[in-house]
């Protein structure tokens, strides 16, 4: 029978069994050899057919008998089921990109619950479910789904490794907003350390995760954070990152991973989603850059402006809001309070209650702007909400800093009673007890 027919049959049966090529490999059959068989680039030997059939628990004739290749044959039915599941996934992904999270969740659930879906398809559905829940603002549910995907990663095909970092970044975004920053840092550090050898840390998802990790370390006051990796300026930069990762994976003998990354390198030259990836990374990088290298404020502002512009058509409002907060933080440092106020106000309007940490950052920016305008009552209210938000997000140090900032401002204008109250709130945020008779 033709080699490509055998390869399609082998792949279809393997997916029906929920197995990866690595699962099927073993004594006398390498993962790369199975990949060549499935792609039709290598003819199977009789010995290989017998071994594969035994491992798949099917009759050898099922893999090589051409009598079942007709329109009503076994292979046609299996291939049609695979195609239907893939189509359902694509519809759900399209709904998600269009912002219809209800339809997306319904489509992903159908694939996840299908007994005919392969392990890889179910993992794709789980990742899509997590992303849809995140977009809908169900951050607890999203974090749980992202975490479940990470637990199941060992069962995933090599091609899922590119999604591995993106899923980790999604988990970190949600966990960070929910006050689980230390947990998110631990997960990000572990994944980036494991992703380094195959070169995945230089891909868009890897760079976004590295930027998130840098910001989370700053949230926790970790002054020992390492430098940020250089962020490519355009699609060509992403393409080079994917190709570099692919070549490193090939050198490690991980052919399927190399192939998957090479395909992403080709797609990165045309897919608009890569520009949104770039914008999100730039938004994270901009604030961290300004924190660590104050002399680079102008370049940081330019990066943040590019991020806001790049996300202008994004269907996910929190992504736009994060970029607006980054830009507002930087232009406020540059002295443009009016622009910072407008950006922070717009960002706050895009964020629902679940986005505690991001809302706290926006409230802090608004408080500083109100204070600059001498609108003290409005400033106090914003500072109070910001301090409470940081505390709810599990960041007592940042909560205390907000109250200390307000206390210093009140003390400078001679309002000792309000300053003292703010100092007390700062102490309470850090778990300190201050006597009522303090003078």
């Amino acid at each position: 029978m033709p080699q490509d027919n055998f390869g399609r049959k082998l792949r279809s049966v393997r997916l029906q069994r929920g197995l990866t090529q690595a699962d099927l490999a073993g004594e006398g059959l390498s993962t790369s050899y199975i990949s060549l068989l499935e792609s039709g680039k290598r003819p199977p030997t009789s010995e290989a057919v017998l071994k594969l059939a035994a491992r798949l628990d099917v009759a050898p004739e099922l893999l090589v008998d051409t009598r079942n290749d007709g329109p009503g044959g076994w292979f046609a039915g299996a291939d049609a089921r695979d195609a239907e599941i893939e189509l359902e996934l694509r519809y759900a992904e399209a709904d998600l990109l269009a912002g219809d999270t209800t339809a997306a969740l319904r489509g992903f659930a159908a694939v996840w619950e299908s007994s005919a879906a392969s392990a890889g398809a179910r993992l794709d559905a789980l990742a899509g479910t997590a992303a849809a829940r995140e977009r809908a603002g169900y951050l607890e549910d999203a974090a749980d789904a992202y975490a479940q995907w990470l637990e199941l990663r060992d069962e995933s095909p090599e091609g899922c490794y590119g999604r591995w970092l993106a899923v980790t970044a999604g988990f970190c975004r949600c966990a960070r907003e929910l006050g689980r920053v230390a947990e998110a840092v631990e997960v990000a550090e572990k994944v980036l350390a494991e992703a380094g050898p195959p070169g995945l840390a230089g891909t868009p998802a890897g760079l976004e995760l590295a930027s998130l990790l840098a910001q989370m370390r700053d949230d926790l006051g970790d002054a020992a954070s390492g430098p940020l990796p250089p962020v490519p300026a355009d699609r060509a930069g992403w393409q080079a990152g994917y190709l570099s990762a692919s070549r490193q994976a090939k050198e490690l003998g991980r052919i399927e991973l190399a192939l998957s990354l090479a395909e992403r390198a080709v797609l990165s030259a045309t897919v608009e989603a890569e520009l949104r990836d770039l914008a999100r990374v730039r938004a994270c990088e901009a604030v961290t850059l300004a924190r660590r290298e104050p002399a680079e404020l102008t370049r940081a502002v330019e990066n943040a402006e590019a991020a806001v512009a790049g996300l202008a058509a994004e269907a996910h409002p929190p992504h736009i809001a994060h970029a607006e907060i980054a830009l507002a933080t930087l232009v406020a440092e540059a002295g443009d309070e009016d622009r910072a106020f407008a950006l922070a106000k717009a960002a706050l309007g895009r964020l629902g209650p679940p986005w505690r940490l991001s809302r706290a950052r926006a409230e802090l920016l608004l408080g500083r702007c109100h204070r600059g305008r001498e609108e003290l009552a409005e400033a106090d209210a914003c500072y109070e909400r910001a301090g409470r938000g940081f505390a709810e997000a599990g960041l007592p140090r940042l909560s205390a800093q907000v109250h200390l900032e307000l206390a210093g401002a009140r003390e400078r204008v001679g309002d000792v009673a309000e300053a003292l109250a703010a100092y007390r709130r700062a102490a309470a945020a850090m778990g300190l007890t201050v006597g009522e008779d303090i003078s």
Side-chain angles (χ1 to χ4, degrees), residues 265-295:
V266 173
L267 289 173
S268 67
T270 56
V271 177
E272 287 297 326
E274 300 298 337
L275 294 181
R276 293 196 294 272
D277 289 341
L278 176 59
R280 289 201 305 273
V281 175
R282 279 180 170 163
C284 288
E285 180 212 31
V287 174
T288 310
L289 180 65
R291 286 177 182 174
R292 298 181 184 178
E293 301 178 43

Side-chain angles (χ1 to χ4, degrees), residues 92-139:
E93 289 168 353
D95 288 331
L96 182 58
L97 288 173
D100 190 346
T101 54
T102 301
L105 284 168
R106 187 165 54 245
F108 288 131
V111 174
W112 173 259
E113 295 166 3
S114 172
S115 59
S118 67
R122 295 182 80 244
L123 278 168
D124 284 349
L126 182 58
T129 297
R133 287 173 176 170
E134 181 185 356
R135 290 191 175 217
Y138 304 126
L139 301 189

Side-chain angles (χ1 to χ4, degrees), residues 242-428:
Y242 279 126
L243 285 174
S244 174
S246 178
R247 292 185 176 110
Q248 290 186 54
K250 180 182 177 183
E251 290 175 2
L252 293 172
R254 299 169 70 174
I255 302 302
E256 287 183 70
L257 176 56
L259 178 60
S260 173
L261 290 167
E263 290 171 349
R264 292 294 299 272
V266 173
L267 289 173
S268 67
T270 56
V271 177
E272 287 297 326
E274 300 298 337
L275 294 181
R276 293 196 294 272
D277 289 341
L278 176 59
R280 289 201 305 273
V281 175
R282 279 180 170 163
C284 288
E285 180 212 31
V287 174
T288 310
L289 180 65
R291 286 177 182 174
R292 298 181 184 178
E293 301 178 43
E296 295 287 347
L297 179 59
T298 300
R299 181 159 70 92
V301 169
E302 291 174 353
N303 284 355
E305 287 174 336
V308 172
L311 291 168
E314 170 67 68
H316 188 26
H319 283 169
I320 306 174
H322 294 156
E324 288 172 331
I325 291 170
L327 181 56
T329 302
L330 298 171
V331 297
E333 291 180 18
D336 192 345
E337 287 189 355
D338 289 340
R339 189 182 182 194
F341 184 87
L343 286 164
K345 194 76 173 176
L348 198 59
R350 300 184 198 276
L351 296 166
W355 302 91
R356 302 170 189 167
L357 179 58
S358 296
R359 288 182 65 86
R361 293 192 188 283
E363 290 282 11
L364 177 58
L365 288 167
L366 290 173
R368 288 169 176 168
C369 293
H370 279 305
R371 192 183 70 199
R373 298 175 178 184
E374 298 186 356
E375 298 165 348
L376 300 185
E378 292 86 346
D380 285 356
C382 288
Y383 273 103
E384 180 62 30
R385 288 192 292 269
R388 186 166 58 249
F390 284 128
E392 291 174 351
L395 296 168
R397 184 181 65 85
L398 293 184
S399 179
Q401 285 180 350
V402 170
H403 294 304
L404 286 172
E405 186 176 320
L406 177 59
R410 285 306 203 179
E411 188 175 358
R412 283 191 292 275
V413 298
D415 193 343
V416 178
E418 287 296 329
L420 185 57
Y423 280 126
R424 289 184 185 281
R425 290 195 294 272

